[in-house]
Amino acid sequence: MHEDERGQLIERLRRYGYVTDRKVLEAMGSVPREEFLPADQRRLAYQDTPLSIGKGQTISAPHMVGMMLDALELRPGMKVLEIGTGSGYHASLMGYLVRPNGRVYTVERIEELGTSARGTLERLGFGDVVEVVIADGTEGLKEHAPYDRILVTAAAPSVPQPLKEQLADGGRLLLPLGTRAMQELVMVTRHGDEYRRQELGGVMFVPLIGKHGYRD
């Protein structure tokens, strides 16, 4: 049943223009979203809506996931940093897209979520491409920098300086910016010491908690 629902969702995302990259559609059609959800939420896996994963966190609506992946233009061999692992679903899709020879480092501040996501990713065969780290994501992950792409899946009051510094020249940093109540999805592109910003539309994400984000 889930496979039929997944196929119908992917077709809607394509038809209505949420996702245009064929490889992103392929990834979303291949990775089982239900496996990243609590048991009582799995029947809702292919409704186009955010869902609770516990600890006050959510898994984003599929159309938002697809739009963000489209904007990042991930390619095989890229090194990616994700801030906010959550369930691990987004990291799995990025892992799919950067294979072969790519790597995704995903940072989660809530140990229970990070541990659960790590187990799910390993069980589904992404352990070789995705590494889960329990830490304050607002400080990035300096030991593996620079990154071709950085994705932040929670809303920050401003662009965390460590993430800007850890972005490769020519790289893209995608994150929601704004208050807890009003946010804009922003793409930051690095050109040497210059950072150019492009606003991609209004969004609503949970707040980014940490030293360079909001305080808990």
Side-chain angles (χ1 to χ4, degrees):
M1 181 179 71
H2 280 306
E3 288 186 3
D4 290 341
E5 292 177 342
R6 191 186 315 153
Q8 292 167 10
L9 172 64
I10 299 310
E11 177 56 25
R12 289 197 300 274
L13 297 180
R14 185 199 64 78
R15 184 188 314 137
Y16 293 113
Y18 288 116
V19 182
T20 59
D21 188 319
R22 179 185 60 81
K23 290 296 291 184
V24 172
L25 291 169
E26 179 184 303
M28 296 183 74
S30 299
V31 177
R33 187 175 186 246
E34 68 273 15
E35 295 293 332
F36 294 88
L37 291 168
D40 63 348
Q41 297 274 40
R42 291 187 175 188
R43 61 186 175 81
L44 305 174
Y46 297 104
Q47 293 188 14
D48 194 11
T49 184
L51 296 168
S52 172
I53 57 171
K55 302 296 181 180
Q57 305 301 301
T58 60
I59 184 173
S60 295
H63 79 271
M64 181 56 61
V65 172
M67 289 170 63
M68 294 173 84
L69 292 174
D70 245 19
L72 285 169
E73 295 187 359
L74 296 165
R75 297 292 179 262
M78 283 186 170
K79 183 165 50 171
V80 181
L81 175 64
E82 179 188 40
I83 307 305
T85 310
S87 69
Y89 177 62
H90 219 142
S92 72
L93 294 170
M94 293 193 293
Y96 186 102
L97 292 165
V98 302
R99 279 175 169 165
N101 304 319
R103 190 74 173 164
V104 177
Y105 297 93
T106 179
V107 184
E108 174 57 53
R109 70 182 180 88
I110 301 173
E111 184 172 4
E112 185 176 331
L113 290 181
T115 300
S116 175
R118 182 185 292 122
T120 303
L121 288 160
E122 290 177 353
R123 177 165 50 83
L124 294 177
F126 290 98
D128 65 325
V129 65
V130 180
E131 179 176 334
V132 180
V133 178
I134 311 297
D136 177 359
T138 68
E139 299 201 77
L141 199 61
K142 189 175 181 179
E143 56 264 41
H144 298 296
Y147 300 95
D148 301 299
R149 300 289 188 266
I150 299 178
L151 172 66
V152 183
T153 62
S158 60
V159 183
Q161 185 62 29
L163 300 188
K164 292 173 66 176
E165 293 171 358
Q166 292 171 31
L167 185 64
D169 192 9
R172 297 182 178 190
L173 163 59
L174 184 64
L175 77 169
L177 286 179
T179 67
R180 292 174 185 250
M182 186 177 298
Q183 304 155 14
E184 186 86 17
L185 187 63
V186 174
M187 179 74 78
V188 178
T189 307
R190 182 172 188 175
H191 301 273
D193 293 329
E194 180 184 357
Y195 296 85
R196 300 174 187 170
R197 290 175 47 158
Q198 178 186 3
E199 295 183 350
L200 303 180
V203 292
M204 182 56 64
F205 283 77
V206 297
L208 179 67
I209 306 298
K211 181 179 178 180
H212 301 277
Y214 286 101
R215 300 298 179 183
D216 201 355

